[in-house]
Amino acid sequence: MTPPHPIELVCPAGSLPALKTAIDNGADCVYLGFKDATNARNFTGLNFDDKSMADGVRYAHDRGRKVLLALNTYPQTDNWSSWTRAIDRAADCGIDALILADPGLMAYARKTHPQLRLHLSVQGSATSYDAINFYYERFGISRAVLPRVLSLAQVEHVIANTPVEIEVFGFGGLCVMVEGRCALSAYATGESPNCNGACSPGKHVRWEQTPKGMETRLNGILIDRFADGERAGYPTLCKGRFDVNGETYYAIEEPTSLNTLELLPELARVGVRAIKIEGRQRSPAYVTQVTKVWRAAIDRLQTDTAPFRVEAAWMAELNKVSEGQSHTLGAYYRPWK
Amino acid sequence: MKLALGPLLYYWPRQATLAFYADMADAPLDVVYLGETVCSRRHELRLSDWLEVAETLAAAGKEVVLSSQVLVESESDLKTLRRIVANGRFRVEANDMGAVRLLTGGDAPVADWIAGPTLNIFNPATLGMFAELGASRWVAPPEMSRQQIAQLRGGLGQPMEVEVFAHGRLPLAFSARCFTARHYNLQKDTCEFRCLQFADGIPLKTREGEPFLTLNGIQTQSAHVHTLLGDLPAVQADGLDILRISPQGDHTAEVIDLFRQALAGQLPPAEALQSARPLLPEAPCNGFWHGRPGVEQLVTA
């Protein structure tokens, strides 16, 4: 089965080596951010300055691939100009599209750099075609990235009712909350994905071996405690174990990754135009592994005449790099909700 | 300064909900926000019931606003949204961009609406754009600090009413998943409406017993109760227009009275906060107002 449009594979690049390996292993696009709070993966040691971004863009363009810049946090009054300057810098670098969430920034980009293609970030929390069409009518967005909340039938319904290309998350760390609608990290640490580009930031994390086990804390708040032999995960605050009515469990979500590989034919059938791999904070090795598998799967889908089949080896490779070594279909699978 | 009652974030039985709003008709409130904003499965009151409550409150002299659902997923969610937008009688608080499109697009855009706290409006460029599209009031996102709100107002070209979340458990996150159903090992589609049993949501504690969050269906709230009762002199000095009080399971009317007394200068802020403590389901916090982690409680001089 060949879908009417090829599906683009959009891979994460937290660094120049990650960008290069994504391109070398078959990414159609890479997405990246500047080294500051203008993007939602504002972590120490990650991301690009003007020089590395220019190098990255050249590397991608020389090979006929695209580079998308994530500027998907919300500026405040006093730092507004850092964000508009980032848009200008990106335009100068020859970026192929901007991934934005803030409507004010969209208006700025439209006016100042009318040639630049605009994508609506997942941080824009647009979950219906009416929401997406608002950005289309006001700013002429070309693509929207859907929050990880809709079932497959709902994704199909959105696509049927908008001229905007739809990109969905295919693999990687799973936000259980609607992106752009979560202030849990701000509540615990004062820093949020929306305003600071960080969730459960490392500088607030403490690992402590105690007589009761390894404890992980976020700004002093106990997120989880691990017995000897249990693998202690990073204390992302929605993936800890908590006590609800005397029962201790993963009350919000287990440490697990989204993996929609088996849904690929369905995603293609409903008209999804691009699949995003999460993980700009992950290593180049992760990017290599995940890009390879998804490239192979998309190629098989788009070129093979035989029915699509997920290779056991693909799943094994992906599980190796999954959070908690497990995966879920998330909201695409209705009972998950 | 006006006092507003925010939309009811919990799911109470029909009679309890109607009795609550009958009481609120007599409370010293200027504005009341009505409607289901959290979960489309909640239907103890349908839109027609909400509109009846709205008429009663309007007859009692309240300004009534209909609040739209925050997370819109299905075509049936959109149908409800269209009915709210087209109600023709009451102003609408838009809580997602779909609502904004319906209010501002088409042949007959609505001239006057309210930009809700979940629209993620953080800067003058964005707020100014929504003002041009007909928003006459902005409800600041709860995570914004006093200073950030003041700076935004300072940078805004036109006058606009500003409302802040002044009291209640903080609505921190929304999900496709229902955490109340999950707690009972139920799926969302067959949740048995367990939310009805919890007038203030379900407390979530850390493994050392510290109150941390509150599960309210698909919404996650703070455990601590954000309140600006102890910060009212600063709030008044800043000239904010409206303070939002979020309904709680018990004692909402007493909390409103405390705000009224403190705003009128009849009760010193520290004393108002002290008097509120036994009325709250959990300890107070005010970190967001002070530009700190929201969970913190900062004593103000």
Side-chain angles (χ1 to χ4, degrees):
Chain A
M1 181 195 72
T2 309
H5 300 281
I7 290 188
E8 279 188 354
L9 179 60
V10 184
C11 293
S15 64
L16 196 52
L19 179 147
K20 288 179 176 171
T21 192
I23 300 284
D24 294 346
N25 286 286
D28 297 302
C29 313
V30 292
Y31 65 103
L32 41 67
F34 282 119
K35 278 183 184 297
D36 55 32
T38 60
N39 76 92
R41 290 288 184 280
N42 178 23
F43 298 150
T44 312
L46 272 195
N47 298 323
F48 291 71
D49 55 22
D50 288 353
K51 163 84 171 65
S52 54
M53 192 167 297
D55 290 348
V57 169
R58 196 174 320 112
Y59 192 87
H61 286 176
D62 284 351
R63 289 155 184 81
R65 319 299 171 78
K66 288 181 261 188
V67 180
L68 318 177
L69 182 81
L71 271 165
N72 53 352
T73 47
Y74 292 90
Q76 305 274 342
T77 312
D78 62 352
N79 56 25
W80 169 258
S81 58
S82 307
W83 270 253
T84 53
R85 205 161 45 240
I87 290 178
D88 300 338
R89 286 160 65 196
D92 291 346
C93 273
I95 249 39
D96 296 282
L98 287 173
I99 309 170
L100 298 175
D102 185 81
L105 287 180
M106 285 198 178
Y108 174 86
R110 193 35 76 234
K111 184 163 161 255
T112 317
H113 307 282
Q115 79 290 355
L116 264 183
R117 201 179 135 93
L118 301 184
H119 291 190
L120 174 64
S121 167
V122 70
Q123 294 297 122
S125 319
T127 55
S128 72
Y129 59 83
D130 271 319
I132 291 164
N133 290 342
F134 170 78
Y135 296 94
Y136 174 73
E137 286 152 5
R138 299 283 162 190
F139 314 110
I141 60 166
S142 307
R143 182 180 291 180
V145 186
L146 290 183
R148 283 160 274 191
V149 298
L150 300 181
S151 66
L152 197 58
Q154 289 169 338
V155 173
E156 182 173 16
H157 189 63
V158 167
I159 291 171
N161 288 282
T162 182
V164 175
E165 297 173 10
I166 295 299
E167 175 173 318
V168 300
F169 277 89
F171 184 84
L174 176 70
C175 270
V176 183
M177 304 303 178
V178 185
E179 295 88 340
R181 295 259 170 75
C182 181
L184 290 176
S185 180
Y187 180 68
T189 72
E191 292 184 45
S192 69
N194 273 351
C195 299
N196 312 89
C199 170
S200 312
K203 67 179 173 200
H204 293 285
V205 169
R206 293 285 172 275
W207 305 77
E208 202 181 357
Q209 189 64 53
T210 74
K212 290 177 177 169
M214 168 66 84
E215 294 186 342
T216 54
R217 289 177 190 273
L218 193 62
N219 200 18
I221 297 165
L222 184 65
I223 302 300
D224 211 342
R225 181 188 287 145
F226 300 89
D228 293 346
E230 261 188 313
R231 191 174 170 279
Y234 186 89
T236 304
L237 58 73
C238 61
K239 292 181 179 173
R241 277 175 289 196
F242 301 103
D243 175 346
V244 182
N245 285 336
E247 192 188 334
T248 300
Y249 66 111
Y250 293 107
I252 298 172
E253 176 61 306
E254 284 90 6
T256 182
S257 287
L258 178 73
N259 183 1
T260 65
L261 201 59
E262 63 186 90
L263 294 180
L264 187 55
E266 281 298 286
L267 294 171
R269 182 187 62 78
V270 304
V272 163
R273 294 291 293 275
I275 289 186
K276 179 164 237 151
I277 306 299
E278 187 275 347
R280 283 191 285 136
Q281 73 286 11
R282 304 288 299 262
S283 66
Y286 163 94
V287 175
T288 306
Q289 203 78 284
V290 179
T291 305
K292 252 187 206 164
V293 169
W294 277 85
R295 180 75 271 156
I298 292 174
D299 284 350
R300 160 131 359 138
L301 179 76
Q302 292 183 161
T303 56
D304 251 15
T305 46
F308 180 80
R309 192 169 49 81
V310 172
E311 298 273 344
W314 292 346
M315 288 308 240
E317 285 304 308
L318 292 179
N319 276 341
K320 272 192 222 161
V321 294
S322 291
E323 188 181 357
Q325 280 75 53
S326 70
H327 67 262
T328 169
L329 290 173
Y332 297 110
Y333 177 61
R334 204 164 167 92
W336 175 88
K337 299 184 176 187
Chain B
M1 181 168 281
K2 293 185 193 172
L3 283 185
L5 185 71
L8 173 62
L9 302 178
Y10 305 109
Y11 190 35
W12 296 344
R14 180 181 174 85
Q15 286 313 317
T17 310
L18 294 174
F20 172 76
Y21 284 107
D23 283 350
M24 290 299 111
D26 301 325
L29 289 165
D30 303 286
V31 187
V32 180
Y33 292 83
L34 293 177
E36 178 56 50
T37 59
V38 175
C39 176
S40 56
R41 286 180 51 75
R42 297 176 174 181
H43 52 235
E44 287 283 296
L45 270 72
R46 309 252 178 205
L47 180 57
S48 55
D49 299 313
W50 285 115
L51 288 169
E52 271 181 44
V53 174
E55 289 297 350
T56 312
L57 288 164
K62 314 297 186 209
E63 178 204 324
V64 174
V65 178
L66 301 180
S67 294
S68 77
Q69 195 168 298
V70 174
L71 172 57
V72 174
E73 293 177 71
S74 66
E75 188 62 35
S76 105
D77 292 348
L78 285 173
K79 277 187 188 132
T80 307
L81 183 57
R82 289 189 189 106
R83 288 176 60 208
I84 291 170
V85 167
N87 84 86
R89 169 90 165 87
F90 302 103
R91 286 202 288 172
V92 173
E93 176 187 63
N95 284 319
D96 102 306
M97 284 315 168
V100 175
R101 182 199 190 213
L102 294 172
L103 286 161
T104 60
D107 300 331
V110 175
D112 186 5
W113 52 278
I114 289 139
T118 48
L119 291 186
N120 282 334
I121 298 171
F122 288 103
N123 56 68
T126 300
L127 184 54
M129 178 194 318
F130 286 120
E132 280 169 28
L133 290 173
S136 55
R137 179 186 299 163
W138 167 59
V139 188
E143 68 175 292
M144 276 183 94
S145 70
R146 176 191 183 188
Q147 189 187 4
Q148 288 168 333
I149 293 168
Q151 286 173 343
L152 196 161
R153 290 178 76 213
L156 198 62
Q158 60 264 71
M160 194 169 190
E161 275 189 317
V162 177
E163 176 171 331
V164 296
F165 190 89
H167 184 94
R169 282 181 153 156
L170 291 156
L172 293 173
F174 293 82
S175 176
R177 172 177 272 180
C178 176
F179 306 108
T180 301
R182 178 176 170 84
H183 178 63
Y184 289 103
N185 289 315
L186 296 169
Q187 288 178 14
K188 184 162 90 171
D189 290 343
T190 50
C191 69
E192 301 174 5
F193 305 105
R194 296 296 181 105
C195 285
L196 282 168
Q197 299 166 24
F198 301 95
D200 283 305
I202 307 178
L204 176 151
K205 295 176 179 168
T206 68
R207 296 180 74 172
E208 50 196 3
E210 287 297 315
F212 180 31
L213 301 171
T214 300
L215 305 179
N216 175 37
I218 67 151
Q219 184 186 59
T220 305
Q221 303 180 334
S222 61
H224 293 273
V225 181
H226 173 85
T227 185
L228 300 183
L229 261 177
D231 298 275
L232 287 180
V235 173
Q236 286 176 300
D238 285 1
L240 298 169
D241 301 289
I242 305 171
L243 299 182
R244 173 173 292 200
I245 294 168
S246 192
Q248 51 184 51
D250 291 302
H251 311 302
T252 307
E254 288 112 299
V255 170
I256 294 166
D257 285 337
L258 282 177
F259 267 89
R260 270 288 166 234
Q261 289 173 44
L263 285 171
Q266 295 157 355
L267 199 59
E271 213 173 297
L273 185 58
Q274 191 73 22
S275 311
R277 185 59 191 91
L279 307 175
L280 308 181
E282 193 45 73
C285 64
N286 63 359
F288 279 151
W289 176 251
H290 294 275
R292 302 279 309 160
V295 64
E296 292 182 6
Q297 169 65 31
L298 287 97
V299 180
T300 42

